[in-house]
């Protein structure tokens, strides 16, 4: 059983007279509860691939299945609903909503996307706050906490809906080494605790080292597949 | 829905200065409109009240063709016995009619025994007249107001009284020609001096109907006009249609209607001023709409532009386009609501202050009219509703843009 299956996946951008083939016929599979990394030089197509898996950008051709659903041709509304139900996102710049407290940021997907009842929401958010060691910071606003704490909140927000898949684009790029290591261990711990699959796009060797499966992309093609040990 | 408004309110608080400035703009617009509507509306209502309650009544019935010849006060166009009875029957049977006054209008020579001038007169039954135009007695600036007048007495228009140097208790003579060309004169005692008002009949004198019948040697019943007062002025057009329909059934030998019915609006030139006031009010409202629309659109366009990355984030984590649209529309709605509420409160306080200050003004020959601005709650609700609706409308375009944003492009925005 696989969580993500891609066959002959292609993405082409057309800007005026210029046609860019960002992803060129990629095939891969990702199993549930795995820690996967896409690496490669800038412009190799890592982010494009992540966006397609995250149903943010539809493939130009090929086949893509995520969490048992063919997402190759999803419309805007349908893909938004699918993302809300199955996918969590962690961003390089944390992307917390500044007018919401830590608690409310984590609560946001449950409240505004999945419409959970208040009591159940509170219980779930507290669970996640505890899991990311931010229990006593729930009432603070994003501008009152550190970068590492912000990324913890982002991890909690990504996991709060019981997403089967979390996509993280350069999640440690804006963090110091110690904080980055702590965030990586936190994500691994979350994977173990909740059985969530984490897929990264990164240049950070610390993330690569911790990955169980690594896909190397170059010019939109998958060049090799391996694990953290044989890449670092 | 509550969560959307909570988030919208927090986003407005995030840009305090901008929110405050926009709200002040909306508030100023609302205050300007409400004050203009209340002041102009009360001026209009007061003038219309004066015209209808002290002279014209709400509706008038004449013989066909009388009004077009009214300048010469043609006695041969008076309604005769049967016709008067017919109109009386119709008016008595209409519940909306509070009172009516049957008048004979005539022109006469006015002599104080040393000088002579011409005068236009209304011959009335005092009781009927006071019920139909209750403010007429208030126009008596000298003399007794009670009972209006008795047989053998005359209420002299202020200008004639001043010009002819006539005082209360003086005897004057009226000389009139009847419809057969016969001239007759009759002495009258000056009972009171009548203040002039703007509009038709505003400078006419008053005598008793019985005196007019004697002066003009009229046998039987003749009436020049019937002034009608309604229970509710708002019913005027409805009653007008009803009366017109009923009276049109009376036709002459040429199969033309015998009677004509007119509202005060057709009789008084002030109606054009009232329409001008309404037009000005409309333009002021359009200006308010423009102010609200431009300021809300400007603020919301800025809000969307500054939060593109945030829009990308919430879209990525599954917030549907409809909810993103609602978030921004809710911000526009709250801005409109906030500005409007403050505007309404300031306006109501100002209106109360103006009433307490007893501001007076002059209009034409009328001096010291008291300005008492009022505004109907319905008008406040309509204006507030318009402003809030425009605020929502103004935020729709930016909200639409935000809802339709591609999450990837939005997330890449710096």
């Amino acid at each position: 059983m696989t969580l993500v299956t891609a066959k002959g996946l292609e993405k082409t951008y057309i800007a005026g007279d210029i046609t860019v083939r960002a992803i060129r016929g990629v095939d891969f599979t990702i199993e549930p509860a795995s820690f996967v990394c896409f690496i490669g030089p800038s412009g190799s197509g890592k982010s494009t691939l992540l966006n397609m898996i995250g149903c943010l950008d539809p493939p130009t051709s090929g086949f893509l299945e995520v969490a048992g659903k063919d997402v190759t041709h999803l419309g805007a509304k349908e893909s938004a609903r699918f993302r809300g139900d199955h996918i969590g996102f962690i961003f390089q710049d944390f992307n917390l909503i500044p007018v919401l407290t830590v608690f409310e940021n984590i609560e946001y997907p449950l409240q505004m996307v999945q419409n959970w009842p208040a009591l159940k929401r509170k219980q779930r958010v507290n669970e996640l706050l505890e899991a990311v060691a931010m229990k006593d910071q729930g009432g603070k606003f994003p501008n009152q906490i550190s970068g590492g704490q912000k990324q913890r909140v982002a991890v909690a927000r990504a996991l709060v809906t019981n997403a089967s898949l979390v996509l993280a684009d350069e999640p440690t790029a804006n963090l110091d080494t110690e904080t980055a290591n702590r965030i990586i261990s936190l994500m691994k711990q979350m994977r173990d605790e909740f059985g969530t699959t984490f897929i990264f796009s990164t240049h950070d060797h610390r993330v690569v080292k911790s990955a169980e499966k690594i896909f190397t992309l170059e010019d939109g093609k998958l060049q090799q597949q391996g694990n953290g040990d044989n890449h670092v | 829905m509550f969560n959307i408004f909570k988030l919208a309110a927090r986003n407005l608080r995030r840009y305090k200065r901008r929110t405050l400035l926009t709200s002040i703009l909306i508030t100023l617009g609302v205050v300007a409109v409400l004050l203009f509507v209340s002041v102009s509306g009360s001026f209009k209502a007061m003038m219309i009240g004066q015209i209808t309650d002290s002279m014209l009544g709400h509706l008038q019935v004449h013989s066909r063709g009388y009004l077009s010849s009214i300048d010469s006060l043609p006695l041969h166009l008076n309604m005769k016995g049967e016709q008067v009875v017919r109109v009386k029957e119709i008016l008595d049977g209409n519940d909306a009619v509070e009172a009516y006054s049957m008048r004979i209008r005539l022109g006469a020579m006015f002599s104080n025994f040393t000088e002579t001038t011409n005068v236009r007169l209304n011959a009335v039954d005092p009781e009927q007249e006071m019920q139909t135009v209750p403010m007429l007695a208030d126009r008596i600036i000298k003399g007794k107001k009670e009972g209006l007048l008795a047989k053998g007495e005359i209420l002299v228009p202020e200008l004639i009284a001043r010009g002819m140097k006539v005082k209360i208790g003086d005897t004057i003579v009226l000389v009139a020609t009847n419809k057969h060309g016969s001239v007759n004169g009759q002495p009258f005692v000056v009972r009171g001096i009548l203040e002039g008002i703007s509009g038709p009949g505003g400078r006419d004198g008053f005598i008793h109907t019985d005196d007019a019948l004697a002066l003009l040697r009229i046998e039987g019943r003749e009436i020049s006009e019937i002034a009608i007062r309604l229970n509710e002025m708002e019913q005027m057009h409805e009653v007008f249609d009803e009366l017109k329909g009923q009276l049109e059934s009376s036709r002459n030998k040429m199969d033309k209607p015998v009677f004509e019915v007119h509202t005060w609006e057709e009789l008084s030139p002030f109606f054009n001023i009232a329409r001008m006031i309404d037009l000005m009010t409309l333009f002021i409202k359009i200006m308010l709409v423009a102010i609200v629309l431009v300021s809300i659109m400007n603020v919301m366009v800025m809000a969307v532009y500054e939060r593109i990355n945030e829009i990308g984030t919430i879209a990525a984590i599954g917030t549907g386009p409809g909810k993103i649209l609602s978030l921004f529309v809710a911000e526009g709605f709250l801005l409109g609501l906030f500005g409007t509420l403050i505007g309404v409160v300031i306006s109501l306080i100002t209106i109360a202050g103006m009433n307490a200050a007893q501001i007076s003004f002059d209009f034409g020959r009328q001096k010291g009219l008291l300005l008492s601005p009022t505004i109907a709650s319905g008008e406040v609700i309509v204006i507030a509703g318009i402003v809030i609706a425009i605020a929502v409308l103004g935020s729709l375009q930016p909200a639409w843009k935000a809802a339709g944003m591609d999450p990837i492009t939005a997330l890449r925005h710096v």
Side-chain angles (χ1 to χ4, degrees), chain B residues 110-128:
Chain B
F110 179 105
S111 170
N112 63 357
F113 302 102
T114 53
E115 285 176 279
T116 301
T117 186
N118 63 318
V119 64
R120 294 166 70 94
L121 295 161
N122 288 295
V124 297
D125 175 311
E127 202 175 318
Q128 276 185 3

Side-chain angles (χ1 to χ4, degrees), chain A residues 13 51 56-57 77 80-81 83-84 89 91 95-101 104 107-109 111-113 115 121 141 157, chain B residues 3-4 6-7 10-11 13-14 309-310 312-324 327 406-408 411-412:
Chain A
Y13 293 108
N51 287 339
L56 290 168
D57 206 4
K77 269 189 189 171
R81 207 173 304 129
R83 286 196 301 271
F89 289 88
F91 304 96
N95 291 25
L96 300 180
I97 300 167
V99 293
L100 298 181
T101 62
E104 289 165 337
E107 190 187 27
Y108 181 92
Q111 193 174 43
M112 301 292 274
V113 182
N115 300 315
R121 265 192 339 248
F141 283 91
R157 183 178 64 184
Chain B
N3 296 318
I4 287 175
K6 188 176 84 177
L7 197 55
R10 290 218 191 149
N11 276 317
R13 231 173 35 202
R14 176 174 170 186
N309 198 266
E310 213 173 296
T313 305
I314 60 171
I317 60 183
T319 313
K323 220 158 234 180
I324 297 175
L327 271 170
D406 170 35
I408 300 173
L411 282 167
R412 280 193 197 128

Side-chain angles (χ1 to χ4, degrees), chain B residues 367-389:
Chain B
K367 309 283 178 199
L369 296 170
L370 202 62
L371 188 70
S372 51
T374 51
I375 190 150
S377 53
E379 189 87 39
V380 176
I381 292 167
V382 167
I383 290 169
I386 289 173
V387 172
I388 294 167

Side-chain angles (χ1 to χ4, degrees), chain B residues 122-179:
Chain B
N122 288 295
V124 297
D125 175 311
E127 202 175 318
Q128 276 185 3
E129 188 70 9
M130 282 199 298
Q131 283 171 359
T132 309
V133 283
M135 282 170 68
L136 176 61
D138 296 339
R139 285 174 52 205
I140 299 173
I141 49 175
K142 281 180 192 162
K144 272 202 306 182
K145 292 183 179 184
E146 298 77 34
L148 201 63
L149 78 151
K151 283 181 200 172
E153 292 179 336
I154 180 170
L155 294 174
V156 182
E158 186 186 4
L159 285 178
I160 291 180
R162 199 185 304 151
M164 301 290 282
K165 298 180 184 65
V166 168
K167 295 188 290 295
I168 305 293
D170 287 357
T171 299
I172 59 99
V173 172
L174 290 179
V175 179
T177 307
N178 73 5
K179 64 181 173 188

